[in-house]
Amino acid sequence: AKESGRNSVSFFDPQMQLQVSRRSALETAMRRALQDGLFTLHFQPQVDSQGCLIGMEALLRWHDEQLGTVGPDEFIPVAESSALIVPLGAWVITEACRILSSWRDHPQLAQISLSVNISPRQFHHPDFVPHVTHQLKAFAINAHQLELEVTESLFIDDIDNTISLMNELINSGVMFALDDFGTGYASLSYLKKLPISRLKIDQSFVRDLLDDPNDEAIVRTIIALGNSLELQVIAEGVETPAQLSRLQEMGCRFYQGYCFGKPMPDSHWLLMLRDSQTV
Ligand code: C2E
Ligand code: CA
Ligand code: CA
Ligand code: CA
C-alpha cells in the first residue's frame, strides 16, 4: 500500500488497477461478443484403446478485434464471477446440440458423444435443466450422446439438491463426467454417491506420469477407483505415445490429448474424417 495525501493509505497499487480494468474490459467485450455471435466451439477427440473415436469435448473459443484471442482459462472465470456464464453457457448447450444434430448422418460422428463443460453457477440457475431438456428435444438429439463435464466444485454445497438436479437430466438420458479428477477434495464415500459415469484424470497427473512416481501412484489409484466403482476412466492431456503406452499398461482405456488431436473447429474434423478412417 502506498502513502497518498495526509494519513490515508491507498490500497490500490497500479498492478491491481490494471487487473481490475482488464476484467471489466473483458466483461464488456464478452457481453458484446455473445450478442454478435463471436464465440465459437472447438472440438477435441476422445478415443478408446483401439484408437477409435468415441467422443469429442466442446471447448469455447473467442477472438476479439481489440483484445485478440482470449483463452477460456482467462475469460471463463470472469464470466463466472459476472453471471455472464449463464447466457454464455446456455449458448454453448444450444450450439453443442446444433452441431450434434448436424453429425446425425455422418459415418464416424453419428454415434459419438459430445462433452460440454458446465460451471456450477450455470448448473444451479433455475433455467438450466429446462434449457438442456428443451434443446435436446428441439434438435432431436439422442440424450445419451450429450455428456456434461462438471468438477468437484459443483458439490461444495447442497450436494443432495445438486444430485437430484443431475438425476432429472440422467432420467432423460444425459451422462455426467467428473472433470479434473484428483485436483479437488473428493473422498471415496462421497464419490460413490455421485451419479456420474466417467472420471477424467486431470492432465496435471498425466504430464509427469513417466518421471514422477507420485503422479504415477495417483494415476494408478484413480484407475483402480474408477474400476471398482464401475466408472469409465479417461486420461486428459495425453501428449506423447510414451504417456499413452504407460496409461494402457496401467489399464486406462480412454484418452484425450494432443497425441490424438488438438481442439479444432467442426469443419476441420469433417475434412480429416473424410480422408481417413481413424482420427
Ligand atoms: P478443461 O475442461 O480441463 O479442458 C481441457 C483443456 O486442456 C483445454 O484447454 C484443452 O485445450 C487442453 N488440452 C487438451 N489436451 C491437451 C494436451 O494434450 N496438453 C495440454 N497442455 N493441454 C491440453 P482450453 O480449451 O484452453 O480450456 C481451458 C478450460 O476452460 C477448460 O479446462 C474448462 O475448464 C474451461 N472451458 C472451456 N470451454 C468451456 C465451456 O464451454 N464452459 C465452461 N464452463 N468452461 C469451459
Ligand atoms: Ca473439461
Ligand atoms: Ca479437465
Ligand atoms: Ca482444467
Side-chain angles (χ1 to χ4, degrees):
K2 276 201 255 165
E3 300 274 349
S4 76
R6 303 184 309 177
N7 287 329
S8 65
V9 170
S10 167
F11 285 92
F12 292 98
D13 67 44
Q15 186 55 40
M16 195 165 148
Q17 260 165 346
L18 213 67
Q19 277 170 20
V20 170
S21 60
R22 167 85 176 167
R23 256 187 115 71
S24 67
L26 280 175
E27 206 184 306
T28 309
M30 254 192 285
R31 197 159 274 130
R32 207 178 44 226
L34 189 56
Q35 263 169 13
D36 297 350
L38 299 180
F39 284 99
T40 56
L41 290 181
H42 280 194
F43 301 89
Q44 185 178 35
Q46 301 173 326
V47 306
D48 68 13
S49 39
Q50 271 86 53
C52 291
L53 182 69
I54 55 149
M56 294 275 195
E57 178 175 0
L59 294 154
L60 261 172
R61 293 294 180 262
W62 174 34
H63 181 83
D64 179 87
E65 291 252 295
Q66 270 107 58
L67 299 162
T69 298
V70 189
D73 276 332
E74 185 177 10
F75 70 74
I76 290 289
V78 177
E80 284 173 338
S81 67
S82 72
L84 248 177
I85 194 65
V86 173
L88 181 58
W91 178 83
V92 172
I93 294 281
T94 304
E95 180 66 2
C97 289
R98 188 185 70 78
I99 295 276
L100 255 182
S101 77
S102 78
W103 291 345
R104 181 170 299 135
D105 297 318
H106 191 282
Q108 287 112 318
L109 298 173
Q111 307 289 331
I112 70 166
S113 57
L114 184 54
S115 306
V116 174
N117 294 284
I118 306 295
S119 298
R121 186 163 186 173
Q122 174 193 2
F123 183 88
H124 286 296
H125 191 280
D127 292 342
F128 179 72
V129 173
H131 179 68
V132 174
T133 326
H134 184 258
Q135 296 308 310
L136 287 170
K137 270 216 195 78
F139 289 99
I141 304 292
N142 172 3
H144 292 292
Q145 289 184 274
L146 182 68
E147 179 179 74
L148 304 181
E149 295 194 0
V150 299
T151 58
E152 291 159 60
S153 60
L154 183 67
F155 306 100
I156 284 176
D157 38 46
D158 211 353
I159 183 163
D160 293 330
N161 179 49
T162 302
I163 290 175
S164 79
L165 284 169
M166 288 170 82
N167 280 328
E168 282 185 45
L169 288 169
I170 290 168
N171 288 339
S172 64
V174 174
M175 315 270 252
F176 281 87
L178 194 54
D179 202 1
D180 302 344
F181 188 68
T183 61
Y185 63 95
S187 71
L188 242 175
S189 59
Y190 148 100
L191 192 60
K192 211 177 71 178
K193 272 181 73 171
L194 305 182
I196 50 165
S197 31
R198 197 187 254 183
L199 288 180
K200 298 193 80 176
I201 305 176
D202 190 67
Q203 58 185 62
S204 62
F205 306 117
V206 175
R207 191 177 305 129
D208 299 320
L209 179 63
L210 301 172
D211 311 308
D212 187 334
N214 292 323
D215 287 342
E216 145 121 42
I218 290 168
V219 169
R220 234 175 242 298
T221 306
I222 295 175
I223 294 167
L225 193 59
N227 288 341
S228 65
L229 294 175
E230 293 178 353
L231 303 173
Q232 259 192 22
V233 177
I234 178 166
E236 299 193 277
V238 183
E239 292 186 354
T240 66
Q243 288 169 336
L244 173 61
S245 58
R246 178 60 64 86
L247 287 160
Q248 278 174 322
E249 280 164 27
M250 294 169 89
C252 180
R253 292 168 43 234
F254 302 95
Y255 328 93
Q256 181 181 345
Y258 295 169
C259 189
F260 306 98
K262 293 194 171 181
M264 290 289 181
D266 163 58
S267 56
H268 168 92
W269 296 116
L270 291 172
L271 270 175
M272 277 276 297
L273 291 167
R274 207 185 56 189
D275 301 331
S276 73
Q277 290 298 25
T278 51
V279 181

